[in-house]
Amino acid sequence: MTQSHSRISKAVIPAAGLGTRFLPATKATPKEMLPVVDKPAIQYVVEEAVSAGLDDVLMITGRNKRPLEDHFDRNYELESALEKKGDAERLAKVQESSDLATMHYVRQGDPRGLGHAVLCAAPHVGNEPFAVLLGDDLIDPRDPLLRRMIEVQEQHGGSVVALMEVAPEQIHLYGCAAVEATADGDVVKVTGLVEKPDPADAPSSYAIIGRYVLDPGIFGILRETEPGRGGEIQLTDALQQLAQDEKVGGPVHGVVFKGRRYDTGDRGDYLRAIVRLACEREDLGPDFRTWLRSYVAEEMQQP
């Protein structure tokens, strides 16, 4: 049955992780600030939220994450220097990040997992549905996944997760969903979830990727959720309870995503994301593709 729900306006971006896979680069620089071509990864995520109509953004940070706040703040000295030089193009790029959205910040303090990070957003979110965007997954703006998820949540209520079909040998890297088909080809009903299962125990090949639209009922469950895999409070465990008991916060649906996704949480995939995005840039792509073809041809000739 179609239900009426308040319009979603708030996005939560957990950004308190230590980024250990990118050491030593992340010893003093937050992993979210690592550049993807010429913008930090976190800016792509905020832009995605804004393009979906979410202009109120709460970032969950931790120690040594001050550069995140600085990036989305004004830098008057730099702006003044660029203005005096008449460099309007770079001035516009610098100002863009500070004008994107209304930004808020809260520290997670003790890093106790994604579920705990989301729980830190409860005072800001209140009793409204909200979106969660993980910074390791960059979704191409030509594939409006988050907007579609918001549409599904407004239609069905409850919570919505983003799903992508992966190879069986990769499912242990993700949360995995058991699903039932619905009348919409890209929407499934989620009947169960498990965090990083062994391939033999996985209920499907549908992996949860880093986009969620959540009912505020998730907060009450997270407060009672015991640490799970890795000794952390897992968001997947809380969503499993929502899927099993719709009275708590409505059903859980999944949007099956088949578009372009760039994984920046792994070093190899991070490099591939940079190459793909650079190739598609109008200002960089033509020259870069020419060089890349030449480089690959030379490497193929090596013994």
Side-chain angles (χ1 to χ4, degrees):
M1 178 182 295
T2 300
Q3 303 176 38
S4 177
H5 304 276
S6 60
R7 176 68 185 174
I8 299 172
S9 63
K10 295 178 180 178
V12 174
I13 303 177
L18 297 176
T20 53
R21 284 179 290 181
F22 282 84
L23 287 170
T26 51
K27 179 181 178 181
T29 301
K31 68 172 183 176
E32 296 84 5
M33 290 300 296
L34 294 179
V36 180
V37 188
D38 55 4
K39 285 192 299 189
I42 194 67
Q43 184 169 333
Y44 289 89
V45 179
V46 174
E47 288 173 349
E48 180 188 350
V50 172
S51 69
L54 312 181
D55 56 4
D56 184 320
V57 178
L58 174 68
M59 203 168 290
I60 311 298
T61 68
R63 290 183 293 278
N64 301 323
K65 298 286 185 169
R66 182 61 184 270
L68 293 171
E69 299 184 33
D70 291 341
H71 180 71
F72 292 101
D73 199 358
R74 299 291 299 272
N75 187 326
Y76 292 103
E77 293 82 5
L78 178 58
E79 292 177 26
S80 177
L82 292 171
E83 191 170 8
K84 288 178 180 178
K85 290 174 60 177
D87 195 338
E89 181 179 356
R90 287 189 174 87
L91 177 61
K93 289 181 178 180
V94 168
Q95 293 176 332
E96 181 183 14
S97 59
S98 58
D99 296 333
L100 273 174
T102 301
M103 302 294 298
H104 309 270
Y105 305 90
V106 64
R107 287 198 174 191
Q108 184 178 5
D110 189 15
R112 297 170 57 196
L114 176 58
H116 181 256
V118 171
L119 184 56
C120 292
H124 181 77
V125 168
N127 195 34
E128 303 175 23
F130 62 104
V132 174
L133 298 86
L134 304 189
D136 288 347
D137 284 326
L138 304 188
I139 304 298
D140 194 291
R142 293 168 293 183
D143 300 312
L145 169 62
L146 186 57
R147 188 178 296 275
R148 175 58 176 151
M149 293 174 68
I150 291 172
E151 290 174 354
V152 173
Q153 198 280 337
E154 290 175 342
Q155 179 182 2
H156 296 286
S159 298
V160 182
V161 298
L163 301 175
M164 177 175 279
E165 196 162 10
V166 301
E169 61 270 18
Q170 293 182 316
I171 198 66
H172 72 282
L173 301 172
Y174 300 88
C176 179
V179 303
E180 295 177 352
T182 72
D184 293 320
D186 65 334
V187 179
V188 294
K189 184 173 182 181
V190 176
T191 58
L193 300 107
V194 59
E195 181 68 18
K196 297 181 179 179
D198 290 330
D201 300 326
S204 76
S205 59
Y206 286 114
I208 304 170
I209 59 175
R211 297 296 180 269
Y212 308 81
V213 178
L214 301 176
D215 183 273
I218 195 79
F219 293 131
I221 294 177
L222 285 170
R223 291 187 184 99
E224 303 298 326
T225 299
E226 296 293 330
R229 191 179 183 94
E232 298 181 336
I233 297 175
Q234 298 290 347
L235 181 61
T236 303
D237 293 342
L239 285 167
Q240 161 74 354
Q241 292 192 45
L242 285 180
Q244 291 183 328
D245 186 0
E246 296 184 10
K247 296 179 181 178
V248 177
V252 178
H253 286 85
V255 171
V256 179
F257 182 62
K258 297 181 179 180
R260 288 154 284 201
R261 166 181 174 255
Y262 311 106
D263 183 357
T264 61
D266 172 83
R267 289 174 299 175
D269 285 338
Y270 170 75
L271 294 173
R272 284 185 281 271
I274 293 174
V275 172
R276 290 173 64 184
L277 288 169
C279 285
E280 295 178 358
R281 286 269 294 264
E282 292 183 3
D283 57 338
L284 298 173
D287 289 342
F288 185 67
R289 288 194 298 270
T290 299
W291 173 84
L292 189 60
R293 292 189 190 100
S294 176
Y295 174 75
V296 171
E298 291 176 3
E299 286 297 301
M300 293 293 291
Q301 295 175 3
Q302 296 295 325

